[in-house]
Amino acid sequence: MEQAEKLEDAELARDPNSVDMLYARGVTRGQFALFTALIERAWFSALRNAVGARRDHERVLELDPQYTDAKLVVGAHNYVMGSLSFAVKMAVALAGLRRRQREGTAISEGCLSRQGETSVDAGIVLMVFLRREHRVWGGV
C-alpha cells in the first residue's frame, strides 16, 4: 500500500487534477483504512485514512460528476459516520465530518444499479448496511 501511494502521489505531483490517480489513491487509502480497522484495530488511523479516501473521491466527483465508482467510498463513509453513537458523533462533528446514514445507503444503491467497476462491492456494502438495520432492499 505504501508503494502504491508513493506512485499515486508522484503522479498527482505532476498533475493534481488527474481523476484516475485521485480515484486510485482513494482506493488505496480506503483499503488501508479497512486493514487498520479490522486487523490492527487502530481506530484513529483507520478514521484518518478513511477521511483521506473520502476527500480524494469527493475531489474526483468535483472534477468528473459522472465518475460513479468514486461515489461508493463517499456513500459508505456517510453511512458509517451516521451510524456512530451520539457521543462519538459529537466528537467527530467537531472535525467537520457529520454525515447522514440514509444518504450513504442511497449512494450505495446508486453505485449498485450503475453496474460500474464497484457495483459488486456496492452490493456487498449495501447488504451489510441493510442487514445492520434489519431492512430488505427493494431492488433487483
Side-chain angles (χ1 to χ4, degrees), residues 3 15 19 24 29 42 46 53 65 71 82-83 87-88 92 98 105 107 129 131 133 137:
Q3 183 63 24
D15 179 10
V19 174
R29 288 176 168 176
K71 293 180 180 180
S83 300
V88 175
V92 170
R98 216 175 57 207
T105 305
I107 291 172
F129 290 170
R131 184 177 191 293
E133 296 177 12
W137 184 55

Side-chain angles (χ1 to χ4, degrees), residues 27-125:
V27 169
T28 301
R29 288 176 168 176
Q31 289 175 338
F32 192 63
L34 281 173
F35 174 78
T36 56
L38 298 176
I39 305 302
E40 295 181 351
R41 297 190 186 265
W43 307 116
F44 290 108
S45 175
L47 179 60
R48 186 174 51 253
N49 283 291
V51 169
R54 179 196 176 89
R55 288 187 177 143
D56 282 345
H57 284 202
E58 283 178 331
R59 180 71 179 134
V60 167
L61 293 170
E62 285 174 17
L63 296 169
D64 183 1
Q66 301 306 312
Y67 207 115
T68 308
D69 291 331
K71 293 180 180 180
L72 181 59
V73 166
V74 175
H77 194 261
N78 281 345
Y79 182 88
V80 170
M81 298 306 286
S83 300
L84 298 172
S85 69
F86 181 74
V88 175
K89 278 184 191 179
M90 294 304 294
V92 170
L94 293 173
L97 299 174
R98 216 175 57 207
R99 300 291 177 212
R100 286 184 224 111
Q101 197 172 2
R102 296 277 182 217
E103 185 179 313
T105 305
I107 291 172
S108 296
E109 285 180 13
C111 291
L112 176 63
S113 67
R114 295 292 300 249
Q115 297 297 313
E117 180 182 311
T118 59
S119 63
V120 172
D121 297 335
I124 293 167
V125 166

Side-chain angles (χ1 to χ4, degrees), residues 124-140:
I124 293 167
V125 166
L126 185 60
M127 180 179 63
V128 169
F129 290 170
L130 295 177
R131 184 177 191 293
R132 182 181 181 279
E133 296 177 12
H134 307 286
R135 291 178 38 214
V136 177
W137 184 55
V140 186

